[in-house]
Amino acid sequence: MIRLPEFRYYRPKTLKEAVKILNSEGEKAVIVAGGTDLFPNMKRRIQTPSVLVSLQQVKELHRKISYTKINGDQEKRLVIPSGLTLSEVCENRLIRENYPFISKTTSSIATPLIRSMGTIGGNLCLDTRCTYYNQSLEWRESVDFCMKAPEGKLDIPCRVAPGSPRCVAANSSDTAPLFCALEAEFHIVSQEGERTIKPAEFYREDGEFYLNKKAEEILSEITLPSSENLHAVYLKLRRRGSFDFPVLGAAAVLKMTGQKVKEAKIFLNAVSSAPIEVLESEKALIGTELEEEKILEAAESARQSAKPFDNTDFYPHWRKEMVGVLLKRALLELKSRKT
Amino acid sequence: MFNPAELNVIGKPIPKVDALPRCTGKLQYADDLTFPEMLFCKIYRSPYAHAFIKKIDLSKAKKIPGVVKILTGEDFSIPFGILPVSQDEYPLSNKEVRYVGEPIAAFAALDEESAYQAAKAISIEFEIVKPSMSIEESLKQGMIHKSAGLEFGDIEKGFLESDDIFENVYFYEGNTHLALEEHAAAAVPDPDGKLTLYSSTQVPHYLHRTLAKTLNLPPSRIRVIASPNGGGFGGKSDVFSHEIVVSKLALLTGKPVKISLTREEIFYLHRGRHPTLMWLKTGVKKDGTISSMHFKSLLDGGAYGSYGVASLYYTGALQTTTYKIENYKFEGARLFTHKAPCGPKRGHGTPQPRFAIEIMLDEVAEKLQIDPAELRKKHLVQSNSITPNYLKVGSMGLGKCIDKVVEGSGWKDKFRKLPYGKGVGLACGSYICGAGLPIYWNPLPHSSVMIKLDRGGGVSVYCGQIDIGQGSNSMLAQVVAEILGVGPSEIKLCCADTDLTPVDLGSYSSRVTLMVGNAAIQAAQKAVDLLKKAVSEKWGISEDKINFKNGKAFNRENPDLSLDFSEAVQLAEAKFGAVCTVGSYTPPKSPGEYKGSGVGPSPAYSYSASVVQVEVDPETGIIQIEKVWIAHDIGKAINPLSVIGQVEGSVYMGLGEALMEEQTFRARYNGVHKAPGMLDYKSLTSKDMPEVETYLIEDPDPNGPYGAKEVGQGPLLPIPPAVANAVYDAIGVRIREIPLHPEKVLFALKNKAPKRSFPSFHAPKVIRVPLPSESPTTSLLSSDLLRSESLRVDSSPSSGLPPSSSGAVSS
Ligand SMILES: Cc1cc2nc3c(=O)[nH]c(=O)nc-3n(C[C@H](O)[C@H](O)[C@H](O)COP(=O)(O)OP(=O)(O)OC[C@H]3O[C@@H](n4cnc5c(N)ncnc54)[C@H](O)[C@@H]3O)c2cc1C
């Protein structure tokens, strides 16, 4: 059995209180929500924070999913507080009826037990993953650690891509590419106040420093775009029917006018440290009526652009081949739903 | 012998006798045990696959608060190993480490965290050496642990007589047991200087012997209690370093010491499936008769011997028990590599060759244009016969198994008839019901059972057997309950305690039902005979008129005349003294007398056949298993519910091996395990498990208790080749290795699959054995001898294998 290392534990009741603690504890404090990602990492001594600030009792983060009017905006927007569990998001009526693809995506994460503990905020802030990083301290000692887990040493190369200037650990969050493609809005709270950021800017292509966010900043809520004329899908590739992180994910969001594609957003995950937008594929679709050859063209562009590393389950060359297949299937699904 | 119509308990699908504590979390596993003043132990393990230890510095570790005692290799001087020929491990390594995870030092502390911190504080100077991480490399380096060569008949003559010759290379990847319960052990010193060890082990008796040896204590001062196992599958049938280490720590500190291993550590102590490279050449006649078979295997043994000598011989032993083979030759070697040691896993050494043979038969059938089911049925080994390598086959229900799955699956309408992407595959298998020989040379019974009847009617049964989840407790209770006419849940079981129970060799090689069952029948029969004598005297009727049933003794001719079981016990106790009886079992002697004949003989052989239906996505190579039909010749199902559970469990494990499980290492990075955890080591989830249709074939074996044979391992065997054959039927590509990763399927479809080659290998020595039909000693074998009595107690050693190379075991 492995046990957790020692840490101090705060359980603030309000956002204000949480922000204050995070600010005063500084560097050594780490945010924990459901703990389904952080605690396993702590057990393996990948992260050993001496202070944890739990968001579980922060009331603002556990409000109901509801519509809000955005300043001066006529549209109503749905807001998801970050502290809701994946099961709560998945089963929510408003989500199921208006954003069924979010329900479907969240239901594909991990296992039922983990989903009733893990939060949507934690999923969006999920640590990047790598077969050389998500290992015990003893294991990492054997390979003399890696760029992301240097254990006090300097100049350790990436074990997957030794020439790489940055860590290539994979973004493995299932919801991240979908929210990127949806162009949702993330709300972030800290001592300095509140800011909003587009998901595509929230993620960085660096496995070590993978979020454009300071450690003490809390992701408080997610605002969704209007669901009108929105066609979205996320397909996930993994070894087994449950349990597994994605080895590849493809999110496609289309805005249509009549039969024509007006806007297209396509993001892939698990092939890079951030969800990756495939502009070529988007271009191939805009203005089309999703004709099969256009879909194939978009899929082929995505396949060509993807450069998966050998840091997840399955071989990278196969995952690269699968980029085309998965995106093709995602787009065909959208096409068949439309007609 | 038994009138099937009169059976009250045997053959009934009753819940396991220990189901309630197992399901309610009340059962105490080794990790649940606590004792006053107990210390916790952690082990520091090698970070390198191959290195020499230059210097160990414990100064920092000693200063960690709470540390009580530290052990290193210097504290142990006696090597151990499960087989007498492979005494090649030390509890803690002193000079050389040969795999990542090899134990180097042990730390006992007041709490687990302090022991962990102390282990972290050790400082060792290593001289790192390049490890050998593959079969090919070790063969080149001459790191051969053991080689074997046996020829039965004349294969060259056989090949000349055949019309067609098939030859191919096959590879079976290594994989691990993945029992849910992680290994744990607690050693408790007694005030009188004796020692008790509780451990999650499948082999309390061998553990007892090994502790006595390595601690240099008389066995009488050591007591081993096997705690209930949360699964074993062969992974708890070696003696392990941590068991010896906590025992020594308890003796030295005078305090109880417990260790609970992490999942990662279990991937290192392993002893699972040997990765095996195979070459198979088969000569067949036009009608499919196998006139000659030449099989070669190279096993990646990992760093130590374990059961390896037996594993090697098992890859060559059971080819002959399913289909008639006229001439047969086996050559093989087990190689040492710098990886976690391999050993027995469900099927022990036989799933690999079975994979090769069953795929090759599919190819033969296609070439000869015979239906694969028909081809197999035409050439079945006969019941009550002897194979070319001198295995005595008793009951043989494979034909019926094939019929069942062919019918159930709708084979005739599906084979080569389903649309592209969908396919069915068929394969068979056969397995031993206990090994004919113990793993160390001795003429003693393999299993004994003791029964004590209480005046109040209580029945206590004592036996060294350990239930590892397979249901052997229920089997034991059912057998005794049947004979004494009481309910199985009324019986008190005391098992696997070397102070209190007579020896049973352990839960491996599918031996428990057959051997413990027979010993239990003997003991129970003796007890009921005493009761019958006493009751017959009271009623003044002859003993054969008395029947025990529903907790009462009845007069068969006048069922109104009855008395309580407890009264019967009292009558017997008054007449004979305390009612305590014993029964023992030793397997019959095997006719094989050649060197190496110790592996393969068994009192009986189980048979299975399976049809697997798959859907293969030709764009991704992903295989979906749609359904599995499997028939298993169990002889007689003592508890059909348990038996079906074992069949389904075997299917589950077989599918995992076929599709995804692999124990692999990173040669480039110090030989670390690729995925030592349950998230990254892939085995099927409930979502991936297809529907399984199980058929039980009951072809009673004269050697089995009530005719029963094994079920714990055999049903795994047909699964991997049936999947590979189904993939061929679905998309027309032949893949001769597992796991069948989607990458491999896709590559094969694009004709890009790398071709495996078999290195040049010839066994240095091949023993030529005349066929039984040509041999003067076995021509004496009459069918009477083949049908030996089920309770025959034979105490003579039964093979030409010298003690130094005895190895007749399985998982
Ligand atoms: C066996 C297993 C399988 C899994 N499979 C999947 C899978 O298939 N797909 C997938 O996407 N995930 C998977 N996960 C990961 C994880 O369970 C989920 O991503 C979950 O949603 C994480 O949420 P949490 O609340 O538990 O996060 P935590 O563990 O509490 O936190 C994760 C990270 O996010 C930070 N964080 C959490 N909340 C906030 C916040 N509001 N503001 C700022 N930072 C925050 C934490 O500091 C931490 O770094 C799996 C985990 C396990 C153990």
Side-chain angles (χ1 to χ4, degrees), chain B residues 484-560:
Chain B
L484 296 180
V486 297
S489 53
E490 303 298 307
I491 288 174
K492 295 175 195 70
L493 294 175
C494 171
C495 293
D497 179 332
T498 59
D499 266 10
L500 303 181
T501 60
V503 167
D504 172 71
L505 294 180
S507 277
Y508 64 90
S509 94
S510 276
R511 52 178 297 289
V512 180
T513 292
L514 192 134
M515 301 202 190
V516 172
N518 279 329
I521 289 176
Q522 200 182 55
Q525 202 60 55
K526 284 184 191 167
V528 85
D529 286 349
L530 294 177
L531 303 191
K532 281 182 180 170
K533 275 205 183 84
V535 175
S536 90
E537 200 174 278
K538 176 167 166 107
W539 285 345
I541 59 171
S542 69
E543 286 163 39
D544 58 352
K545 298 216 167 70
I546 297 162
N547 186 22
F548 281 83
K549 195 175 153 178
N550 298 337
K552 284 191 160 61
F554 292 92
N555 178 348
R556 279 181 199 275
E557 287 169 349
N558 173 16
D560 290 341

Side-chain angles (χ1 to χ4, degrees), chain B residues 68 97 109 290 340 347 377 386 521 585 611 684 718:
Chain B
V68 176
V97 280
I290 302 172
K377 275 189 65 186
I386 233 181
I521 289 176
Y585 180 79
V611 169
L684 267 59

Side-chain angles (χ1 to χ4, degrees), chain B residues 29-45:
Chain B
Y29 293 93
D31 182 44
D32 296 322
L33 301 174
T34 55
F35 300 93
E37 294 184 46
M38 185 169 85
L39 304 177
F40 294 84
C41 174
K42 286 275 177 199
I43 290 178
Y44 176 81
R45 294 169 185 274

